[in-house]
Amino acid sequence: MRSVFMVLLMVWQAATTAAEHTETLIDTQRPLRVVLGQAERLIRFDGPVAFASRDVSGQYRLGDYFHLNNLGANVLVDAKKPFPAMRVEVMRRDIEHRYLLDLAFAQSAAPMADLVITQRTPEPPAQQPVSCKTASCLSDPRARLIRFAAQWFYGPQSLVTPLPGISAQLTPAYANLRMPDGLQLKAVGRWYWRGFELDVMRVQNVQQTPIQLDPREFRGLKPGSMVSAQRWALDPTDRPGSSTLVYHARPESR
């Protein structure tokens, strides 16, 4: 019984090792070198394939040298005997595409790793986000204004670096924008950038129930102007999410 168990364990380990080791070749329409031996090797394609009956030169007949067990997209191949180097064409059955395989013989009966031949390129590594401290995204004064207002709103003011051109006062043009009717809101602070028709206002919910803002409900908007916000849902006044930033862009700023 112990000997039977040891045999089963060795078979399982061999199967696990073969499954864990896989070779991958990316098809770029150039010939791919494939090594085959006397041990059966699994070749996996992106779709169902068919091997040509002869090599590209027409000199060698594949059936004389290989056992081919075609399972659609998976093909089991092993060499009947040593074979000369040859180039073989493999056609996809579902689409118009062909692979060129340069077959080479390996004098070994040891199991070979599964081979994956694919047209899919590996996923590129994720790019790190570009910091606005060094990128050109801060070259637009309006972007700098929004960033300044967000820092002032969400962080301690002691860490906010003053920006030239920022004025914390209500401009006559901004006075046209008024709060929606029926909502208990107050403007805590307003900023504007001299020379650009873009304003940023901090809005505070002063009632004990949540508020859902709607840009269409702001009064005093001129034709072509837009209103956006950091978020539209405000929590009750005693919650951290009771405030937001409202951005008002007049036609001249777009």
Side-chain angles (χ1 to χ4, degrees):
M1 183 69 181
R2 178 179 174 84
S3 60
V4 174
F5 173 77
M6 292 300 296
V7 170
L8 292 176
L9 179 61
M10 293 174 62
V11 171
W12 177 82
Q13 289 178 336
T16 303
T17 301
E20 290 178 348
H21 293 79
T22 302
E23 180 184 358
T24 300
L25 297 178
I26 305 298
D27 177 43
T28 60
Q29 291 297 285
R30 293 180 176 274
L32 301 173
R33 186 174 186 271
V34 176
V35 177
L36 299 174
Q38 295 177 342
E40 196 173 52
R41 188 174 194 185
L42 175 63
I43 304 178
R44 300 198 301 245
F45 296 87
D46 291 335
V49 296
F51 277 70
S53 59
R54 293 182 175 272
D55 74 315
V56 173
S57 69
Q59 183 178 359
Y60 305 110
R61 183 176 177 272
L62 268 61
D64 295 337
Y65 296 94
F66 306 102
H67 292 112
L68 291 172
N69 188 2
N70 197 321
L71 305 175
N74 299 330
V75 181
L76 291 170
V77 186
D78 65 274
K80 297 179 179 179
K81 57 184 178 181
F83 60 88
M86 65 179 72
R87 178 167 295 176
V88 175
E89 185 179 58
V90 181
M91 301 297 297
R92 282 283 293 271
R93 289 179 173 177
D94 53 340
I95 60 174
E96 292 186 5
H97 185 79
R98 70 169 186 168
Y99 308 88
L100 289 177
L101 307 184
D102 283 348
L103 304 183
F105 179 74
Q107 188 69 44
S108 173
M112 304 188 70
D114 292 352
L115 176 61
V116 176
I117 298 178
T118 178
Q119 295 172 263
R120 305 183 184 96
T121 56
E123 292 291 334
Q127 296 183 352
Q128 297 296 324
V130 179
S131 173
C132 271
K133 294 181 180 180
T134 58
S136 59
C137 56
L138 285 182
S139 60
D140 191 333
R142 290 164 294 188
R144 298 172 65 187
L145 169 62
I146 293 174
R147 182 172 182 266
F148 170 81
Q151 285 182 331
W152 191 94
F153 178 48
Y154 291 111
Q157 296 189 25
S158 59
L159 300 180
V160 178
T161 303
L163 276 180
I166 292 292
S167 178
Q169 64 180 9
L170 178 64
T171 66
Y174 199 90
N176 294 325
L177 181 66
R178 297 183 297 277
M179 297 295 105
D181 291 330
L183 297 180
Q184 298 182 31
L185 296 171
K186 70 174 182 179
V188 180
R190 306 169 189 257
W191 299 268
Y192 76 98
W193 183 277
R194 291 191 182 96
F196 289 89
E197 300 299 322
L198 177 68
D199 308 283
V200 183
M201 175 174 58
R202 179 182 175 185
V203 173
Q204 172 75 44
N205 179 13
V206 296
Q207 65 185 37
Q208 297 297 325
T209 56
I211 289 178
Q212 181 69 34
L213 297 178
D214 189 328
R216 298 168 296 181
E217 296 179 353
F218 282 86
R219 298 179 293 120
L221 292 175
K222 295 182 179 180
S225 61
M226 296 188 307
V227 172
S228 184
Q230 203 79 23
R231 62 174 180 271
W232 295 107
L234 299 183
D235 293 334
T237 186
D238 57 344
R239 302 283 184 86
S242 61
S243 298
T244 189
L245 294 183
V246 174
Y247 307 105
H248 176 214
R250 293 185 290 280
E252 297 86 348
S253 65
R254 297 186 291 118

